[in-house]
Amino acid sequence: MNFTDFFQSVIKVPADFTKLPFPVSTLHIQKGAVVTDYGQVEENVYFIQSGILEMNIKSYMTEKIIDFFFENEMVCGFTSFLTQQPTDVQIKALTEVHMEFIRRADLIEAYKDSLEANQFGRVLTEQGYIRKSNREKDLLTKTAEEKYAEMFATHSKYISQIPVNKIAKYLGIHPESLSRIRKKLNS
């Protein structure tokens, strides 16, 4: 899926809709490359055409994985994108990634004149809030086994591309514990 198709699916524009209200650029990122680094002010919002990104945050003594993002999803250091303050997260390519992106300045300009741009921004903000809220609830109420089972059910085609230690870090457990969970679920 390309960004135009995604945009049309999000705001349900008429079939004759042809022109996006803002310019979109493409970007190719190599595995391991940083898309947004700690302390950087987020100037873009990204649409993943293919590949996997991970979002990290520094904890007291370690780095934690907040989330993974997959094809046909939008991602950015959202708090920084909104406030234009330095971000406390890092977005990194877990695999080779092909993306399209919108510059913040172009999106803000489109908000002035385009109902479609405003609808798109509102819907994505709502979806981002729901994703974050669900993640917080999962952290507070679900076991690592339940979170892994859900991750496997929703993103099974990507699981094999994510190193076990990164999945374990995301779940907040040791890799050995994840191996036991995987063995239990596979039996």
Side-chain angles (χ1 to χ4, degrees):
M1 175 183 289
N2 65 29
F3 179 78
T4 302
D5 295 335
F6 179 75
F7 181 86
Q8 291 172 330
S9 72
V10 167
I11 64 168
K12 315 286 191 277
V13 294
D16 62 349
F17 181 84
T18 56
K19 189 171 185 316
L20 291 171
F22 38 71
V24 176
S25 301
T26 59
L27 183 62
H28 174 81
I29 301 290
Q30 295 296 320
K31 177 180 178 177
V34 173
V35 177
T36 301
D37 209 354
Y38 295 112
Q40 178 182 334
V41 174
E42 185 66 84
E43 294 293 340
N44 301 312
V45 60
Y46 302 93
F47 173 74
I48 304 170
Q49 291 178 317
S50 66
I52 304 170
L53 295 173
E54 64 177 277
M55 183 179 283
N56 304 305
I57 191 164
K58 289 181 182 175
S59 182
Y60 171 66
M61 292 183 63
T62 63
E63 187 173 67
K64 297 188 180 205
I65 297 175
I66 297 173
D67 215 341
F68 297 105
F69 294 87
F70 307 97
E71 72 180 44
N72 300 329
E73 291 183 342
M74 301 286 297
V75 63
C76 73
F78 196 59
T79 302
S80 176
F81 187 81
L82 293 175
T83 65
Q84 290 296 279
Q85 297 297 310
T87 186
D88 58 352
V89 298
Q90 179 189 66
I91 301 170
K92 191 174 183 180
L94 193 56
T95 64
E96 184 176 314
V97 181
H98 293 276
M99 300 186 289
E100 292 178 271
F101 69 94
I102 306 158
R103 290 184 37 238
R104 181 181 188 277
D106 293 332
L107 185 60
I108 298 301
E109 189 62 30
Y111 284 162
K112 295 177 184 176
D113 303 317
S114 171
L115 177 61
E116 291 85 6
N118 280 281
Q119 288 174 326
F120 182 73
R122 179 184 51 81
V123 169
L124 286 185
T125 300
E126 290 168 356
Q127 289 174 352
Y129 171 78
I130 291 167
R131 181 181 182 130
K132 181 176 171 32
S133 178
N134 287 338
R135 171 85 168 121
E136 288 172 359
K137 288 177 196 173
D138 288 353
L139 285 170
L140 295 171
T141 62
K142 292 184 179 174
T143 65
E145 185 174 325
E146 290 170 324
K147 290 184 280 188
Y148 179 77
E150 187 175 295
M151 183 181 186
F152 190 80
T154 57
H155 298 299
S156 60
K157 77 178 196 177
Y158 303 109
I159 294 288
S160 64
Q161 297 177 55
I162 303 173
V164 171
N165 66 325
K166 292 201 179 268
I167 295 172
K169 190 184 271 192
Y170 170 73
L171 295 172
I173 60 176
H174 293 284
E176 299 80 17
S177 299
L178 178 57
S179 293
R180 285 191 290 276
I181 289 170
R182 292 172 97 171
K183 185 176 180 181
K184 180 179 176 182
L185 291 174
N186 289 332
S187 59

